[in-house]
Amino acid sequence: MESSILSIKNLHKRYGKIHAVNNVSLEIQKGNVYGILGPNGSGKSTTLGIVLNVVNKTSGEYNWFGGSMETHEALKKVGAIIERPNFYPYMTARENLELVCKIKNIDYSKVNEKLDVVGLIDRKDSKFKTFSLGMKQRLAIASALLNDPEILILDEPTNGLDPQGIHQIRDIIRLIASQGTTILLASHLLDEVEKVCSHVLVLRFGQVLYCGTVDGMTNQNGFFELQAESNAQLMLILKNHPEVDQVFEREGKVIAHFRNKFDAWLLNRYLAEKGIYLNHLVFKKMSLEEQFLELTNK
Ligand code: ADP
Ligand code: MG
């Protein structure tokens, strides 16, 4: 059975003239990994800040866990890292986490368990100040996991890390997700979202460009690459087809984008009926990167 972790409906946030979040809606179901993807300044952090109760919304609604509890109660079941991790530099990883346990009234046995999840068990007695940025970020994840939250929220979890650090964080996110924790992460990196998320919300200027599965984003759009004896004639006929969105010529091939999914055999038959016999017909799917660029450039 699906159960609702977070439901966001028609959320808006204005900072004076800036419409930072413009009518964002998102349903987060238990067990999935969600990405909010968009270039810098597209409203990702603002959206996370609102649902975490650190930024005031202008209008719209959101509710946690089906609306069954007050936001401040619900947030006790949420683990979030939205700022650079900050711990006591002269205390060890273990001491820092024990302090968090003490404040939040969590059993100390969770410290080793979570240090293990983030691969820091061997470094538990090292002082925080000796940690690399990647290790600090992993300790922050361990800290956010101490109370076994229903959902883990991460804002740009790999920002500033070296390739190895990035790889480790992504592996940890996948591990946590495989153990059943729902995840919501914000990122401006397409490949990050592609690698770890099952669902994605694409934002630009605060507006939703796409919301759905990562697979759906790659599958829905594609284009035909065509060639005929007369490409000019072919283009003329395509331009008059009601389902065709865009036609142009590229490197001797005619590229045709349709508004909706369109079968190759239907197109072939249609053109033949118009007296055009193709010597090249290929349906090409756009890569997620091409999709993203097209979405964000429009
Ligand atoms: P992202 O996290 O996607 O980079 P943000 O949510 O941080 O984007 O910012 C969205 C927009 O809102 C940007 O134009 C940013 O400059 C603006 N913004 C964010 N926070 C504030 C603030 N406290 N005051 C004024 N403008 C803000
Ligand atoms: Mg941000």
Side-chain angles (χ1 to χ4, degrees):
M1 202 191 84
E2 293 208 318
S3 78
S4 173
I5 301 277
L6 173 65
S7 170
I8 301 175
K9 287 199 186 78
N10 308 113
L11 200 63
H12 289 266
K13 175 66 185 180
R14 292 175 189 273
Y15 292 107
K17 280 186 182 157
I18 297 171
H19 206 156
V21 176
N22 187 348
N23 206 31
V24 168
S25 299
L26 175 65
E27 295 293 328
I28 294 193
Q29 302 285 343
K30 191 175 171 60
N32 295 324
V33 179
Y34 295 83
I36 301 181
L37 175 66
N40 287 331
S42 57
K44 304 180 298 292
S45 298
T46 304
T47 303
L48 295 183
I50 292 170
V51 300
L52 292 169
N53 222 6
V54 295
V55 174
N56 290 321
K57 66 186 183 187
T58 301
S59 66
E61 299 297 327
Y62 66 89
N63 68 63
W64 285 101
F65 308 111
S68 54
M69 57 184 88
E70 293 292 317
T71 297
H72 76 276
E73 273 304 309
L75 290 178
K76 290 180 185 166
K77 302 205 287 175
V78 175
I81 307 167
I82 54 172
E83 286 166 348
R84 278 255 160 272
N86 222 344
F87 292 95
Y88 288 97
Y90 290 95
M91 279 164 52
T92 66
R94 182 180 53 77
E95 288 165 346
N96 269 296
L97 293 193
E98 283 179 356
L99 187 60
V100 175
C101 287
K102 197 170 174 181
I103 293 164
K104 293 188 177 172
N105 199 19
I106 299 163
D107 197 280
Y108 281 9
S109 66
K110 287 287 169 188
V111 171
N112 274 354
E113 180 189 323
K114 302 309 176 188
L115 283 172
D116 198 30
V117 170
V118 300
L120 284 176
I121 197 77
D122 295 339
R123 295 297 303 271
K124 67 177 174 178
D125 293 318
S126 301
K127 289 191 170 75
F128 177 71
K129 67 176 180 117
T130 68
F131 279 11
S132 68
L133 195 58
M135 291 164 78
K136 288 176 177 171
Q137 183 69 345
R138 286 190 276 145
L139 187 65
I141 293 174
S143 176
L145 291 173
L146 285 170
N147 62 340
D148 292 316
E150 289 277 340
I151 178 170
L152 179 65
I153 298 183
L154 305 161
D155 194 359
E156 306 275 4
T158 61
N159 250 15
L161 305 188
D162 59 17
Q164 194 196 3
I166 291 173
H167 188 77
Q168 285 168 332
I169 295 284
R170 289 179 184 167
D171 276 350
I172 289 165
I173 293 171
R174 280 190 287 252
L175 173 68
I176 295 164
S178 74
Q179 293 172 345
T181 305
T182 309
I183 292 173
L184 171 60
L185 67 86
S187 178
H188 67 284
L189 301 171
L190 177 75
D191 75 316
E192 181 151 294
V193 168
E194 195 173 14
K195 280 180 179 138
V196 304
C197 298
S198 55
H199 293 70
V200 61
L201 178 83
V202 181
L203 287 185
R204 193 190 62 152
F205 299 140
Q207 288 179 296
V208 178
L209 297 181
Y210 174 82
C211 181
T213 62
V214 169
D215 287 345
M217 189 172 161
T218 34
N219 291 340
Q220 71 173 1
N221 275 329
F223 56 88
F224 287 101
E225 196 184 75
L226 310 163
Q227 197 182 35
E229 193 61 31
S230 163
N231 278 348
Q233 190 67 24
L234 170 61
M235 285 170 72
L236 207 64
I237 284 169
L238 285 169
K239 275 178 184 152
N240 288 321
H241 192 292
E243 279 293 303
V244 171
D245 186 27
Q246 249 187 69
V247 182
F248 55 92
E249 201 167 5
R250 184 168 68 198
E251 290 163 11
K253 301 272 188 336
V254 172
I255 308 295
H257 288 261
F258 280 70
R259 285 179 225 286
N260 299 296
K261 196 176 176 311
F262 204 83
D263 288 323
W265 68 269
L266 265 174
L267 176 61
N268 203 4
R269 187 181 68 183
Y270 177 83
L271 292 171
E273 281 167 4
K274 300 278 178 189
I276 301 273
Y277 297 96
L278 297 168
N279 50 38
H280 181 89
L281 185 161
V282 181
F283 181 71
K284 293 202 160 174
K285 278 181 186 167
M286 277 196 272
S287 70
L288 195 52
E289 182 158 18
E290 287 169 316
Q291 296 264 321
F292 181 60
L293 287 175
E294 196 185 81
L295 281 172
T296 52
N297 284 336
K298 252 180 196 159

